[in-house]
Amino acid sequence: MHDGDPLPPDAGPDAPRPRGCTNLKLRRLARQVGRWYDDEMRDLGLKGSQYLLLSHALALSPVAPGALALAMDLDASTLTRTLRPMVQAGWLSVEPGPDARSRRVVVTPAGTALRAAAQRRWRRAQERVNAELGAPTVVALHALLDACTARVEAARAGPRARAANDGG
C-alpha cells in the first residue's frame, strides 16, 4: 500500500467504496471533454489527437517515431494511424534518420503555421473546460490525474522500480 490510498485494506465498513466501472467513467469524460477540443479544431481540419501529435512533434522535432510514441505514451500502430493523414496533408514529414534504418518525424512550415493557429483554439477549448467544470475542479482533477498516472506508471514498471522509488 502507498501513503494516501483512499481505501486502505483495513478500512471500516463505512468507508467509501468505488462504484461503477472506472474505465467507463474515464473514457466517458475523455470523450465528452475531447469533443470540446475537437469542435474548436474542426475549422482548421484538425482533430484534438492530431493537435497533440503536432505539438509533441514540434517540441521534439526532428524525432524518431519510436521516441515520439514513447513521449506521447502511444503504441506504434496508433502513432502510425495518427501520423499518416498528417503527412499526407503536408503538416509533417517522415525523413531518413542518421543511419539507413532510421527515420525521423519533422514538422513542416505548414505544420508550424497550423500549430500556431490551432494553439489559440486549444486555449479557447481549455477555457471552456475551466468555465464548465470550474477552475478549482480542473486544478483538483489535474492533480488527481497526475497522481493516478504516476501510480499506474509505477505499477507497470514492476516491483523493482517501486522499491527503487521508495528508497528500498
Side-chain angles (χ1 to χ4, degrees):
M1 182 176 99
H2 296 277
D3 291 338
D5 271 351
L7 189 61
D10 59 350
D14 295 332
R17 304 271 184 219
R19 296 181 57 112
C21 175
T22 303
N23 188 33
L24 174 66
K25 290 175 182 288
L26 286 169
R27 287 175 181 263
R28 177 187 232 172
L29 179 61
R31 281 192 306 272
Q32 291 174 348
V33 171
R35 283 186 198 113
W36 291 338
Y37 288 91
D38 286 343
D39 289 348
E40 285 293 336
M41 299 290 128
R42 189 168 291 112
D43 290 345
L44 298 174
L46 198 61
K47 296 178 184 175
S49 58
Q50 293 172 323
Y51 172 81
L52 293 173
L53 191 143
L54 188 59
S55 295
H56 273 83
L58 188 62
L60 302 171
S61 185
V63 60
L68 181 57
L70 184 62
M72 295 184 68
D73 198 14
L74 297 174
D75 59 56
S77 64
T78 300
L79 177 67
T80 299
R81 275 193 313 276
T82 308
L83 192 62
R84 188 176 299 123
M86 298 177 74
V87 169
Q88 291 170 346
W91 303 328
L92 299 170
S93 65
V94 179
E95 301 176 354
D99 62 55
R101 298 181 319 189
S102 65
R103 299 176 300 142
R104 59 187 189 165
V105 177
V106 177
V107 180
T108 66
T112 300
L114 177 63
R115 184 5 178 96
Q119 191 172 20
R120 290 185 289 277
R121 303 218 178 186
W122 193 260
R123 276 195 208 106
R124 280 201 317 235
Q126 184 61 53
E127 289 167 5
R128 180 176 182 188
V129 171
N130 294 346
E132 296 288 343
L133 300 180
T137 299
V138 174
V139 169
L141 179 62
H142 285 191
L144 186 57
L145 290 170
D146 290 344
C148 289
T149 298
R151 297 269 308 262
V152 169
E153 288 172 350
R156 288 177 61 193
R160 206 172 320 160
R162 282 195 299 275
N165 288 337
D166 291 340

